[in-house]
């Protein structure tokens, strides 16, 4: 996983059951710790609580099935798949270098923050506020 936002992990568990029972989810330890910390859920502003709760609900099921593998550092996860720490969007955001038969791919997700409610006047801002569960970004500041 690049990071633990619902639009990235949302299909892993359906109706309380693993959608991909043979898959193991790899996520950086820093990302996992941030989202699974009960204190972060308790301290999150009201707009963020559902996001924290969703991660905790889904990953509780995955962890109980022994389907979560966390990692730190940049050691390959599998031959040709190497994580690259890329914090900013979230505290443990990760990109992946994928190399196979001399071909290379850099896989990432959500590297640019955008307010997409008004496409003809797309506004960008740096950072998402996820470093702190009670960030002022919760209250609508841009």
């Amino acid at each position: 996983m690049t990071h633990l936002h619902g639009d990235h992990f949302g299909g892993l568990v359906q109706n309380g059951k693993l959608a991909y029972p043979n898959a193991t989810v790899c996520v950086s330890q820093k990302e996992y710790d941030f989202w699974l910390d009960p204190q972060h859920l308790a301290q999150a502003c009201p707009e963020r609580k559902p996001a924290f709760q969703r991660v905790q609900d889904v990953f509780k099921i995955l962890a109980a099935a022994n389907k979560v593998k966390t990692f730190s550092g940049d050691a390959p996860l599998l031959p040709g798949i190497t994580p690259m720490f890329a914090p900013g969007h979230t505290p443990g955001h990760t990109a992946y270098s994928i190399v196979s038969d001399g071909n290379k791919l850099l896989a990432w997700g959500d590297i640019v923050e955008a307010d997409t409610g008004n496409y003809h006047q797309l506004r960008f801002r740096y950072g998402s506020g996820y470093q702190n569960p009670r960030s002022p970004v919760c209250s609508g500041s841009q």
Side-chain angles (χ1 to χ4, degrees), residues 5 34-35 45 48 52 88-91 113 125-138 141:
H5 281 169
F34 178 78
W35 288 100
C45 61
R48 288 250 171 88
F52 279 91
H89 184 62
T90 61
E113 287 291 318
R125 61 183 166 85
Y126 176 76
S128 66
Y130 277 101
Q131 303 298 332
N132 176 350
R134 294 203 54 80
S135 166
V137 173
C138 291
S141 66

Side-chain angles (χ1 to χ4, degrees), residues 66-85:
N66 200 28
K67 295 296 182 178
V68 178
K69 177 183 176 186
T70 60
F71 59 86
S72 299
D74 59 1
L77 301 176
L78 294 168
I81 302 177
T82 304
M84 301 170 65
F85 189 53

Side-chain angles (χ1 to χ4, degrees), residues 21-100:
N22 296 325
T24 297
V25 177
C26 297
V27 63
S28 77
Q29 186 69 56
K30 186 167 186 155
E31 185 76 354
Y32 189 84
D33 290 347
F34 178 78
W35 288 100
L36 278 289
D37 185 333
Q39 288 187 335
H40 285 172
L41 171 61
Q43 295 170 358
C45 61
E47 301 93 75
R48 288 250 171 88
K49 283 191 186 289
F52 279 91
Q53 189 64 62
R54 185 174 180 198
V55 174
Q56 292 185 17
D57 291 347
V58 168
F59 277 79
K60 180 179 181 181
I61 294 167
L62 291 166
N66 200 28
K67 295 296 182 178
V68 178
K69 177 183 176 186
T70 60
F71 59 86
S72 299
D74 59 1
L77 301 176
L78 294 168
I81 302 177
T82 304
M84 301 170 65
F85 189 53
H89 184 62
T90 61
H93 192 264
T94 305
Y96 296 90
S97 170
I98 302 170
V99 179
S100 177

Side-chain angles (χ1 to χ4, degrees), residues 1-9 31 35 86-95 106-114 116 124-128 130:
M1 303 292 314
T2 57
H3 63 290
L4 297 184
H5 281 169
D7 58 331
H8 293 262
F9 70 80
E31 185 76 354
W35 288 100
H89 184 62
T90 61
H93 192 264
T94 305
L106 177 60
W108 63 51
D110 296 353
I111 62 162
V112 175
E113 287 291 318
T116 56
F124 293 93
R125 61 183 166 85
Y126 176 76
S128 66
Y130 277 101

